[in-house]
């Protein structure tokens, strides 16, 4: 069985991935600085270290008795908006962490790195569905940092570290942080349903591609088996093109109580519309999303409301 390091294991995606690896019988070591994650998310059975991946001192506790079979680098501040508050913090915590991890991989003999990149690397694109070979021109510091991380990973291939960067589109599902009002379109709007007013930044005809958490986990796991994924950046989408107003309609139909929608303001650096061209990830990973948007939203809503009632 494998030995894996998961960064960001106390967060939404890292914890789901950690649970899936443990369920397959693997050994999991996790690190998180608990900046946006929670101790209760850390999967039972994982060895946990509290530390910041952007600081060299954090790595002493992670030294393995044999090289990790792979490192899943999931930790990061995940908000484009937050990257405008403090671009240096974003650089240190996201891109700096990638560099620290790459050096740690080299020093400890790990040869495989899987990275949680983002659709934010693309910036505005002329057509909706974007291919991996599109010219990247990020519109947020967050996107710049994710793109820089991808390049660092690519260049480290010359030292024998093979990487795959998954460009995640809008991830949603049970386990998402419903209290974070600066990241996660589905989680933000769903959490506002109970207030009776959904405050939406930007226009209703903007669009996104929503991908359910289980599909994201499946994509990361597939990277371990599929050699064709090595050295690549791959889109991980789910629903295809869905307008914001369509997402809102679906959310309203889930809720028993009516809610009003108010459009006001916008988010700095936010993209107008983007969705994934799925061809390359299908070819290299055998990836195709298994959960359609309505089923995924229903599962998340049941989790969210059940949690509130409990
Ligand atoms: N959720 C999405 O829609 C989405 C989309 C594209 C990419 N991503 C990327 O996926 C990753 C996980 O996102 P998420 O939605 O699970 O967010 P999250 O905030 O739930 O999880 C991130 C975790 O990383 C931890 N963390 C942050 N900086 C750290 C550091 N320097 N050292 C150690 N731990 C640190 C946080 O405490 C948190 O537990 C992020 O890198 C994010 O940029 C997420």
């Amino acid at each position: 069985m494998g030995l894996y390091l998961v960064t960001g294991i106390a967060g939404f995606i890292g914890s789901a991935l950690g649970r899936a690896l443990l369920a397959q019988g693997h050994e999991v070591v996790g690190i998180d600085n608990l900046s946006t994650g929670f101790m209760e998310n850390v999967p039972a059975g994982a060895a946990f270290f509290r530390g910041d991946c952007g600081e060299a001192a954090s790595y002493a506790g992670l030294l393995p008795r044999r090289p990790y079979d792979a490192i899943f680098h999931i930790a990061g501040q995940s908000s484009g908006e937050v990257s405008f508050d403090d671009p240096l913090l974003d650089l240190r915590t996201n891109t700096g962490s990638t560099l620290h991890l790459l050096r740690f991989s080299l020093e400890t003999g790990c040869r495989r790195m899987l990275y949680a990149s983002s659709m934010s690397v693309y910036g505005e694109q002329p057509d909706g569905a974007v291919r991996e070979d599109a010219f990247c021109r990020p519109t947020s510091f967050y996107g710049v940092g994710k793109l820089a991380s991808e390049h660092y990973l690519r260049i480290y291939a010359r030292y024998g570290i093979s990487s795959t960067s998954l460009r995640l589109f809008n991830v949603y599902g049970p386990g998402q942080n419903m209290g974070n009002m600066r990241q996660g379109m589905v989680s933000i709007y769903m959490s506002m349903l109970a207030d009776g007013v959904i405050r939406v930044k930007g226009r209703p005809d903007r669009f996104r591609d929503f991908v359910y958490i289980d599909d994201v986990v499946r994509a990361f796991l597939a990277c371990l088996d599929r050699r064709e994924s090595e050295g690549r950046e791959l889109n991980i989408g789910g629903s295809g093109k869905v307008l914001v107003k369509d997402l809102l309609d679906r959310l309203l139909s889930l809720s028993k109580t009516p809610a009003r929608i108010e459009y006001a303001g916008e988010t700095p650096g936010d993209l107008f519309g983007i969705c994934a061209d799925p061809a390359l990830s299908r070819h290299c990973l055998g990836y195709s999303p298994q959960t359609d948007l309505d089923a995924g939203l229903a599962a998340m809503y049941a989790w969210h409301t059940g949690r509130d009632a409990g």
Side-chain angles (χ1 to χ4, degrees):
M1 283 292 131
L3 173 64
Y4 297 106
L5 175 62
V6 178
T7 74
I9 198 162
F12 170 42
I13 298 172
S15 62
L17 181 61
R19 273 194 304 277
L21 287 165
L22 287 162
Q24 291 188 343
H26 301 300
E27 205 177 325
V28 174
V29 177
I31 178 171
D32 202 295
N33 65 1
L34 301 182
S35 53
T36 55
F38 302 96
M39 255 330 274
E40 56 266 34
N41 284 346
V42 177
F48 177 71
F49 293 87
R50 182 171 183 174
D52 194 307
C53 299
E55 291 172 10
S58 305
Y59 289 86
L62 299 177
L63 286 171
R65 57 179 192 294
R66 65 175 168 91
Y68 291 107
D69 292 294
I71 294 176
F72 293 89
H73 181 25
I74 313 295
Q77 91 73 19
S78 57
S79 159
E81 196 177 337
V82 167
S83 76
F84 282 94
D85 296 349
D86 191 345
L88 262 177
L89 171 85
D90 183 83
L91 183 68
R92 262 196 315 272
T93 205
N94 284 3
T95 315
S97 292
T98 305
L99 268 173
H100 276 284
L101 272 162
L102 281 163
R103 290 180 65 173
F104 177 74
S105 297
L106 261 190
E107 286 162 14
T108 58
C110 173
R111 291 283 166 260
R112 187 86 172 104
M113 178 103 78
L114 296 323
Y115 179 55
S117 186
S118 165
M119 65 177 188
S120 303
V121 299
Y122 288 117
E124 294 295 354
Q125 296 290 328
D127 296 318
V130 66
R131 277 169 39 147
E132 288 83 348
D133 58 2
F135 180 66
C136 291
R137 204 178 170 84
T139 54
S140 66
F141 298 122
Y142 168 76
V144 170
K146 287 283 177 187
L147 186 57
S149 281
E150 288 186 358
H151 286 305
Y152 282 116
L153 287 158
R154 181 176 54 75
I155 291 173
Y156 262 78
R158 71 172 61 179
Y159 305 118
I161 297 180
S162 143
S163 64
T164 305
S165 294
L166 297 186
R167 292 177 173 169
L168 310 178
F169 281 64
N170 280 61
V171 189
Y172 73 99
Q176 195 155 15
N177 183 347
M178 305 299 284
N180 183 348
M181 289 294 122
R182 304 186 79 189
Q183 200 281 324
M185 198 180 266
V186 173
S187 52
I188 292 173
Y189 298 159
M190 190 179 279
S191 70
M192 288 178 178
L193 274 174
D195 306 337
V197 187
I198 303 182
R199 291 179 197 83
V200 178
K201 294 182 190 167
R203 285 167 35 182
D205 55 342
R206 289 155 65 228
F207 58 92
R208 287 290 184 273
D209 190 331
F210 299 99
V211 54
Y212 192 64
I213 181 66
D214 293 4
D215 286 320
V216 170
V217 167
R218 204 172 289 117
F220 272 111
L221 295 179
C223 293
L224 297 175
D225 301 327
R226 300 285 294 236
R227 295 222 55 172
E228 308 94 297
S229 68
E230 295 188 22
R232 292 193 185 269
E233 295 83 34
L234 298 172
N235 286 341
I236 301 298
S239 62
K241 176 177 178 175
V242 172
L243 301 189
V244 167
K245 66 177 179 216
D246 182 22
L247 173 72
L248 291 165
D249 285 345
R250 289 166 194 247
L251 287 172
L252 289 173
S253 73
L254 278 174
S255 167
K256 304 274 177 291
T257 46
R260 199 172 73 249
I261 295 173
E262 285 177 3
Y263 292 96
E266 53 187 39
T267 308
D270 211 16
L271 299 175
F272 180 78
I274 190 157
C275 57
D277 181 313
L280 193 62
S281 57
R282 193 184 302 131
H283 174 73
C284 295
L285 276 184
Y287 170 78
S288 61
Q290 304 292 303
T291 307
D292 77 26
L293 185 57
D294 284 323
L297 291 177
M300 182 174 178
Y301 188 67
W303 165 80
H304 172 52
T305 50
R307 205 179 51 140
D308 283 353

